[in-house]
Amino acid sequence: MKNLLLFLVAVLLFSKETIHAQDLYFGGAAPSISITRAFKNHLDINFLAVSKTRLGNYDIKQVEYRSQVLELYSQLLLSFKINAHWQFGGGYGFQRNNPFDDNWRNENRLVQQVSFIVPGKGLRFYSRFRFEERWFIFPAASSSFGTRARYQAGLIKKINKSNVYWQINDELYAITSGPKNSFLSENWIYTGIGFPIRSLGHWETGFGYNSVVRNINKDLLNLLLLQVSWSYIFPSAKMKTMHPVMHSRHF
């Protein structure tokens, strides 16, 4: 609980620091697919694919913002469960910003993370600290390197005996080295409902609010995102004992 309070204070400081008149607000969608292979000895490997898209066309102060895919991200993560409370993981991610435009940016990423879970009957608290090494490639500029730290805290509440659940989480991003517009660079709040689809995996849908510092003046790009995700765990019997959100560990 102490960690959660400290995190909420950091979110408030982030919001206070980035209140400016040039903020932008758009609607969008963020679909994702997660596939996990579970092994013995608490080991698993997860593949994740996510996209973030701005929907609709906007004309703001004589600048046109069209509907477009903003990000494509894929990740392969190996995780090890130490006990009921602690999990460690590491892997590789690739992201492409503005993938179909001339001003694209490619990013190769190494990921290390540790998660702490407080299990309970019908309710669990989880938190995750992640550190990333990031290599950037641009179409008309030299490549660069940077690092980023992320902290996420959330709650999962089981709603009924059919394993329907409600989830809420918040993640704060900090640029620890390399190119940046702000040290506290991004915040992502999400809440949604998930449920199993018999032996076909799990489906989850909800809304996220993603705020990104978009320039050195600390103006924000704000996206209200419809988030939909499908996840599957091999072997299928594991889906009855492993929570899809906790197991894939990527939200």
Side-chain angles (χ1 to χ4, degrees):
M1 186 60 68
K2 180 180 179 181
N3 289 336
L4 181 60
L5 292 175
L6 291 174
F7 180 66
L8 292 175
V9 170
V11 171
L12 291 174
L13 291 175
F14 173 83
S15 302
K16 181 179 179 180
E17 180 183 356
T18 53
I19 297 175
H20 290 273
Q22 300 300 318
D23 294 350
L24 299 174
Y25 297 87
F26 303 114
S32 67
I33 296 175
S34 171
I35 301 175
T36 301
R37 176 65 168 95
F39 302 95
K40 294 182 179 179
N41 300 322
H42 307 282
L43 187 68
D44 65 77
I45 187 168
N46 171 260
F47 172 76
L48 167 71
V50 185
S51 71
K52 185 164 67 175
T53 301
R54 180 173 62 221
L55 299 176
N57 298 310
Y58 305 82
D59 189 342
I60 302 174
K61 295 186 178 180
Q62 299 181 338
V63 178
E64 293 185 0
Y65 300 90
R66 58 183 175 83
S67 179
Q68 70 175 96
V69 177
L70 300 175
E71 296 176 7
L72 294 174
Y73 180 68
S74 59
Q75 174 184 281
L76 194 65
L77 188 74
L78 186 68
S79 298
F80 185 77
K81 182 179 179 181
I82 302 297
N83 52 41
H85 299 288
W86 292 99
Q87 299 169 349
F88 295 87
Y92 166 78
F94 175 78
Q95 180 169 306
R96 185 174 172 96
N97 291 64
N98 302 321
F100 306 113
D101 292 349
D102 293 336
N103 63 334
W104 54 265
R105 185 189 75 185
N106 288 346
E107 176 189 337
N108 293 282
R109 182 185 304 178
L110 292 180
V111 176
Q112 307 90 49
Q113 67 181 42
V114 56
S115 301
F116 178 73
I117 300 99
V118 180
K121 187 176 180 180
L123 178 68
R124 69 177 72 186
F125 165 78
Y126 65 94
S127 61
R128 181 189 71 189
F129 176 78
R130 170 178 286 187
F131 192 77
E132 302 169 332
E133 295 86 14
R134 311 164 75 199
W135 289 264
F136 304 102
I137 301 174
F138 305 91
S142 58
S143 59
S144 61
F145 171 79
T147 59
R148 182 170 67 180
R150 299 163 52 174
Y151 179 73
Q152 182 187 77
L155 291 170
I156 300 172
K157 170 66 175 177
K158 186 176 179 179
I159 297 176
N160 58 34
K161 294 182 179 180
S162 300
N163 292 322
V164 177
Y165 61 90
W166 167 71
Q167 179 191 185
I168 184 170
N169 63 54
D170 196 349
E171 185 164 21
L172 188 66
Y173 301 65
I175 305 298
T176 49
S177 70
K180 59 185 174 183
N181 294 322
S182 174
F183 174 71
L184 296 178
S185 62
E186 186 173 350
N187 188 49
W188 197 317
I189 302 172
Y190 168 78
T191 184
I193 299 292
F195 52 90
I197 315 173
R198 296 184 179 178
S199 61
L200 300 177
H202 287 81
W203 178 267
E204 184 172 329
T205 184
F207 287 96
Y209 188 75
N210 181 217
S211 294
V212 181
V213 180
R214 64 186 183 91
N215 56 36
I216 59 174
N217 295 324
K218 295 183 174 54
D219 299 323
L220 293 179
L221 169 62
N222 299 292
L223 294 169
L224 178 61
L225 298 166
L226 173 63
Q227 293 186 223
V228 291
S229 64
W230 174 78
S231 63
Y232 192 86
I233 301 172
F234 293 97
S236 59
K238 290 288 186 179
M239 288 190 290
K240 297 180 180 180
T241 59
M242 294 182 176
H243 196 286
V245 174
M246 297 309 304
H247 191 70
S248 56
R249 294 185 279 276
H250 60 262
F251 291 103

